[in-house]
Amino acid sequence: MTGLITAAASAADKRKALRAGLASGTIQRLPGAFNPLTAKLIEEIGFEGVYVSGAVVSADLALPDIGLTTLTEVTDRSRQIARVTDLPALVDADTGFGEPMNAARTITHLEDAGVAGCHLEDQVNPKRCGHLDGKAVVPAADMVRRIGAAVGARRDADFVVCARTDARGIEGLPAAIDRAKAYADAGADMIFTEALADEAEFEEFRAAVDVPLLANMTEFGKSELIPARRLQDIGYNAVIYPVTTLRLAMFAAEEGLRELAAQGTQAGMLHRMQHRSRLYALLDYEGYNAFDGSVYDFTLEGGA
């Protein structure tokens, strides 16, 4: 059943793949998967990884991204997504759901869920969406303790601990760079600076920080949308598209529901829908049928 009900690659293999990708010189593209089926599509199309966005987990529960989700909810969704894909999954673990000891526990839960890594941020808990105003960050020393606890708690050395700083919009870019250096010194494997404004700031950050870097290309936020190839040329190692698939899906769902309400039928929208046969192919119905047949189709030889 490996590769059918569950991914063929082990969690250890996926963690090694993420680390190898970050060191490859080719930018690792991680679109957000708002559910496991989307993760399968991301893999089929040929991306290098999948991302589990805290904002998307919140939105899926009809909650704003203001720190209302729990470690259990994020872990459960992460496990569901990691289970179905051979791609490494990177998870948004917010602030680690509390103090340094909570961050340590978060790492153990996510390791058990089979993901390849996570990022922890330096916002005050409860946090806010990184592209909204009104954020606050903890003192850098507090975040250093948060990272140290997380790194010390991991049992697989290949599990990637990424440190996110939201200081750019609060304390300015130089302070964000200083924080990033301190977080790397504390053991962070990768740095994610939220809400950089434009290409020049991405370049300045790359020039100043000598560890793998993650870029966030979220729509309708504070950052210029920079193509992946250009981010690679600047020297970024990974890029996430956290809410893209959810926004696409929700736009289509809203448009379709309004038309259904107005017309009383979905007949005029069939060309905008995923066909049943395509869904079945993505789900690998044939593989499940073959497995089912191998289990239940048998004959008894001889007699009583």
Side-chain angles (χ1 to χ4, degrees):
M1 293 302 290
T2 300
L4 189 62
I5 288 179
T6 187
S10 69
D13 288 342
K14 287 185 270 191
R15 290 167 191 157
K16 291 181 186 300
L18 177 57
R19 285 194 174 264
L22 294 175
S24 69
T26 299
I27 195 164
Q28 303 298 288
R29 304 162 301 162
L30 289 78
F34 63 88
N35 61 17
L37 187 61
T38 309
K40 290 179 71 69
L41 189 59
I42 289 167
E43 178 177 348
E44 183 180 294
I45 290 173
F47 290 94
E48 291 77 28
V50 299
Y51 179 67
V52 182
S53 161
V56 168
V57 173
S58 296
D60 193 51
L61 296 170
L63 296 171
D65 184 20
I66 56 173
L68 294 174
T69 52
T70 67
L71 171 59
T72 298
E73 289 167 332
V74 171
T75 300
D76 286 348
R77 178 49 55 92
S78 301
R79 179 182 293 105
Q80 292 166 352
I81 287 171
R83 178 184 63 81
V84 302
T85 177
D86 289 330
L87 296 179
L90 181 72
V91 178
D92 178 357
D94 287 350
T95 62
F97 303 96
E99 298 306 312
M101 190 175 296
N102 300 92
R105 184 167 184 252
T106 294
I107 297 300
T108 64
H109 276 240
L110 293 177
E111 276 190 325
D112 289 343
V115 305
C118 72
H119 63 75
L120 301 166
E121 64 202 51
D122 58 5
Q123 281 197 49
V124 171
N125 186 52
K127 51 78 56 80
R128 294 289 184 269
C129 171
H131 286 257
L132 294 179
D133 296 324
K135 299 184 295 182
V137 291
V138 300
D142 290 355
M143 181 60 174
V144 165
R145 285 190 286 272
R146 188 177 291 172
I147 295 165
V151 171
R154 65 183 171 190
R155 292 152 291 174
D156 185 343
D158 286 326
F159 185 94
V160 172
V161 175
C162 175
R164 166 179 148 179
T165 178
D166 284 68
R168 161 63 185 88
I170 303 166
E171 302 174 344
L173 187 61
I177 290 173
D178 288 342
R179 281 175 175 261
K181 291 177 178 179
Y183 301 165
D185 288 343
D189 303 299
M190 181 163 60
I191 299 294
F192 166 14
T193 302
E194 182 66 294
L196 293 177
D198 52 28
E199 191 171 306
E201 290 198 353
F202 281 90
E203 290 176 337
E204 185 174 351
F205 203 87
R206 174 71 282 177
V209 180
D210 189 24
V211 294
L213 294 181
L214 173 71
N216 180 10
M217 291 290 102
T218 193
E219 305 84 10
F220 316 117
K222 296 181 181 293
S223 297
E224 173 189 353
L225 295 180
I226 304 170
R229 181 57 63 86
R230 178 59 188 141
L231 287 168
Q232 178 177 299
D233 291 342
I234 293 171
Y236 274 71
N237 306 80
V239 55
I240 54 173
Y241 306 92
V243 197
T244 305
T245 58
L246 179 70
R247 288 190 173 115
L248 289 167
M250 288 302 296
F251 182 88
E254 181 174 351
E255 292 285 293
L257 288 170
R258 292 190 185 282
E259 184 169 333
L260 179 60
Q263 302 297 328
T265 177
Q266 70 274 46
M269 299 184 284
L270 297 181
H271 66 288
R272 288 152 51 191
M273 295 185 183
Q274 183 184 62
H275 197 279
R276 181 195 300 266
S277 61
R278 175 65 183 123
L279 175 61
Y280 283 6
L282 189 57
L283 292 171
D284 194 9
Y285 259 67
E286 284 192 12
Y288 280 91
N289 284 337
F291 175 78
D292 193 49
S294 71
V295 172
Y296 288 105
D297 291 350
F298 62 92
T299 58
L300 293 176
E301 296 182 2

